[in-house]
Amino acid sequence: ANIDQVSTPAFALSLFLVMGFTDFLDGYIARTFPSTATVLGTYLDPFADKVFISVTSLTLCYTGTLPGLLVGLWVARDVGVVGSVYWLVRQETVRKRNNEKQGTNKKNNNFAVMDPQNTPFKVQASFMSKVNTTLQIGLIALGIAGEVPPISIPPELMTSLIWITAGTTIGSSLGYLDGSAMLKSENK
């Protein structure tokens, strides 16, 4: 098969839905079997979600399916969340490390900020963030589905979801400003 036969909207929609299902399955397993959940996983799973949504939405923006302002809002929020989480974890890790070094003559300045064995926080998505991610995935799926020839998505539905998703993106961003998405991990 050549690339034109493989690169179709139907194939893209199928791949998107499989990726969404495997993300759901991963979360379900982590919730159902807590022994499989790790602090590292609380960072990697949302990061993978952000990459998944950003790459797909940027592609749909390029094709004209999603508006650039919405995609820009999504990407800016994700960059802001990832950056602020890194900054917060780094601050707490340095503080924790300095407290451990008090009273000792340790001069080792080599440490990993996101060391899953020592990171004092794990990420916990807020309810609004989960709603936002669900709406983003739904809007992307509808955007891709609208490119499949027999499927027709009403423009009013797309416009409504664009506005609702913009609102939940802003709302979930505000929820991260106070650090409430960061929970203490069991790491001492």
Side-chain angles (χ1 to χ4, degrees):
N2 68 35
I3 194 70
D4 292 334
Q5 292 171 328
V6 175
S7 181
T8 66
F11 179 74
L13 180 61
S14 300
L15 184 61
F16 183 81
L17 293 175
V18 167
M19 291 175 71
F21 176 74
T22 59
D23 181 54
F24 166 79
L25 188 60
D26 170 56
Y28 175 79
I29 290 169
R31 286 187 302 277
T32 305
F33 305 102
S35 63
T36 64
T38 64
V39 172
L40 179 61
T42 71
Y43 289 91
L44 292 180
D45 185 61
F47 183 74
D49 290 347
K50 289 174 187 354
V51 170
F52 174 53
I53 288 171
S54 293
V55 168
T56 310
S57 63
L58 284 167
T59 303
L60 290 176
C61 177
Y62 178 77
T63 64
T65 303
L66 290 179
L69 288 175
L70 178 68
V71 173
L73 180 65
W74 289 0
V75 171
R77 174 206 179 263
D78 289 346
V79 167
V81 167
V82 169
S84 63
V85 165
Y86 177 84
W87 181 83
L88 182 63
V89 169
R90 185 179 191 293
Q91 294 297 107
E92 186 63 21
T93 301
V94 168
R95 186 195 63 74
K96 177 183 163 193
R97 189 161 186 281
N98 288 339
N99 287 344
E100 290 172 354
K101 286 174 59 174
Q102 285 180 343
T104 67
N105 290 328
K106 294 181 182 176
K107 290 288 186 186
N108 182 4
N109 290 324
N110 297 326
F111 67 97
V113 171
M114 294 293 211
D115 178 358
Q117 298 293 323
N118 297 307
T119 299
F121 289 118
K122 61 183 178 179
V123 178
Q124 176 67 47
S126 68
F127 176 74
M128 177 65 85
S129 184
K130 291 178 182 182
V131 168
N132 183 59
T133 301
T134 301
L135 288 171
Q136 287 176 323
I137 290 171
L139 183 57
I140 290 168
L142 285 176
I144 296 170
E147 300 297 320
V148 177
I151 299 175
S152 176
I153 306 296
E156 300 82 16
L157 176 61
M158 290 296 288
T159 301
S160 297
L161 281 175
I162 286 167
W163 281 106
I164 292 168
T165 306
T168 59
T169 299
I170 293 168
S172 65
S173 299
L174 297 175
Y176 280 96
L177 292 177
D178 64 358
S180 61
M182 303 303 293
L183 300 175
K184 292 284 186 184
S185 69
E186 281 73 45
N187 295 332
K188 304 293 182 215

